Amino acid sequence: MQRVERVVVLALDGVYPFELGIPSRILGAADGRYEVLTCSVDGGPVRTNADFSVTVEHGPEALATADTVVIAPIAPESVTADLPDEVRAALGLIRPGTRIVSICTGVFVLAAVGLLDGRRATTRWQVADRFRRMFPHVDLDPDVLFVDDGPVLTSAGAASGVDVCLHLVRQDHGSRLANTVVRRCVVPPFRDGGQAQYIEQPVPETGAASTAATRAWALERLGEPLTLSDLAAHARMSLRTFARRFHDEVGVSPGRRLIQQRVARARHLLESSDLPVDHIAGQVGFATGASLRQHLHAAIGVTPQAYRRTFQRTR
């Protein structure tokens, strides 16, 4: 009989209601593999940052029974290095070895109790500077959608809670079940790029040609040795205009975007096939298996073989 993972979501006063519901919505669509509970520090109602409160069914004792704990986000200005005693007491109930996940500004809570000292983490790009000032001992990466640092995972703003929860399903049970969840919830299996594409940027001038058609064209030809000249020629723009407009629309350079998409395609093939690494590298447009290994490790910190072993155990 398949073991059911217990996930306990901690809702603190000022919680963002959209993100609070993400774990239940995503993990709850995973064929009964997860039991998702929501708790507060005293078992009472919780004020949200909207014009309503929520009533939860569980008190902090639920945290002691969790396999995974999710810290839902709150307004970052309400978090100080000195958390209220009841919050610290609740977090102290979490068993050693429990997997801990933060969504968006929930990372401030984890950092305030020292769980991120010396670890890599992320949060919403708008609050990155404040986080760095408050917690200089955390290796903050504000460019990514989420960070998996072993037993502690942190994610960026709002919808990146979906990304990290899908990652949990994929990590625990493989890509087949994760793709089932994707279809049920009508969300993308992977989002290309990091937070750079969402940072406030100049809006392209009215009437300016878009690079969208060229981006779609390139996505169908990842196995080919595409150059910036190829992309600009397809878009019928000069190199300089294309590169500038591409960055305005996407938030990263054309070359960086191609690497991100090639890594995403390679991850899919590593999960779903037994093709040799060198063969996968050629299919997605990397010149050699060594190049794929380098880019995959830079993106998610593991080798192709280690990544594949993770999913072969759960396939």
Side-chain angles (χ1 to χ4, degrees):
M1 183 176 180
Q2 178 68 45
R3 180 179 178 275
V4 177
E5 177 105 354
R6 172 166 284 189
V7 178
V8 178
V9 184
L10 177 61
L12 301 173
D13 277 340
V15 68
Y16 294 179
F18 171 72
E19 289 91 328
L20 178 62
I22 287 174
S24 180
R25 184 67 185 95
I26 299 299
L27 302 179
D31 288 344
R33 304 293 179 88
Y34 300 91
E35 175 192 26
V36 183
L37 309 178
T38 304
C39 76
S40 65
V41 294
D42 58 5
V46 179
R47 291 182 294 103
T48 73
N49 78 325
D51 63 340
F52 58 87
S53 296
V54 294
T55 301
V56 299
E57 299 294 328
H58 304 279
E61 64 279 356
L63 294 168
T65 70
D67 299 300
T68 297
V69 169
V70 180
I71 309 298
I74 57 176
E77 58 270 16
S78 66
V79 179
T80 66
D82 296 321
L83 292 175
D85 291 342
E86 61 270 23
V87 176
R88 287 187 176 274
L91 295 173
L93 297 174
I94 300 173
R95 295 175 299 178
T98 300
R99 182 168 59 184
I100 302 177
V101 181
S102 70
I103 298 177
C104 191
T105 55
V107 71
F108 280 77
V109 177
L110 298 186
V113 294
L115 288 174
L116 296 177
D117 287 354
R119 290 188 179 275
R120 182 168 168 257
T122 192
T123 189
R124 195 175 74 218
W125 63 270
Q126 294 101 322
V127 299
D129 288 342
R130 182 171 190 271
F131 184 92
R132 286 195 181 101
R133 290 194 299 270
M134 289 180 64
F135 307 109
H137 299 301
V138 180
D139 179 13
L140 187 73
D141 183 352
D143 296 328
V144 297
L145 296 177
F146 66 87
V147 169
D148 182 343
D149 191 351
V152 182
L153 297 89
T154 54
S155 62
S160 60
V162 174
D163 298 308
V164 75
C165 285
L166 282 174
H167 175 71
L168 296 182
V169 177
R170 193 175 291 111
Q171 185 181 64
D172 294 344
H173 303 290
S175 57
R176 178 174 296 179
L177 182 57
N179 288 335
T180 297
V181 172
V182 161
R183 290 189 293 271
R184 289 173 178 167
C185 297
V186 198
V187 293
F190 290 103
R191 285 197 292 161
D192 293 325
Q195 294 192 66
Q197 59 191 307
Y198 304 106
I199 296 174
E200 293 174 357
Q201 313 219 16
V203 177
E205 58 269 23
T206 302
S210 171
T211 64
T214 297
R215 283 183 270 132
W217 175 82
L219 192 59
E220 296 175 354
R221 293 165 175 80
L222 290 180
E224 301 175 15
L226 298 172
T227 66
L228 181 60
S229 296
D230 296 330
L231 299 175
H234 181 271
R236 297 183 180 179
M237 299 178 190
S238 69
L239 291 176
R240 183 176 179 180
T241 297
F242 178 81
R244 174 175 54 82
R245 197 156 294 162
F246 190 102
H247 193 280
D248 286 347
E249 294 177 4
V250 181
V252 294
S253 69
R256 180 62 183 158
R257 179 70 165 199
L258 279 174
I259 289 173
Q260 291 168 345
Q261 291 174 323
R262 283 169 170 153
V263 167
R265 183 72 57 82
R267 289 173 65 177
H268 172 73
L269 291 173
L270 287 167
E271 293 174 21
S272 60
S273 77
D274 294 316
L275 293 172
V277 170
D278 286 349
H279 190 83
I280 291 175
Q283 280 203 18
V284 303
F286 289 123
T288 64
S291 180
L292 169 57
R293 292 181 185 92
Q294 175 187 350
H295 288 297
L296 185 69
H297 194 276
I300 59 175
V302 298
T303 65
Q305 292 85 352
Y307 188 82
R308 170 169 273 164
R309 281 196 300 270
T310 297
F311 290 97
Q312 285 179 337
R313 287 197 300 268
T314 56
R315 262 167 40 190

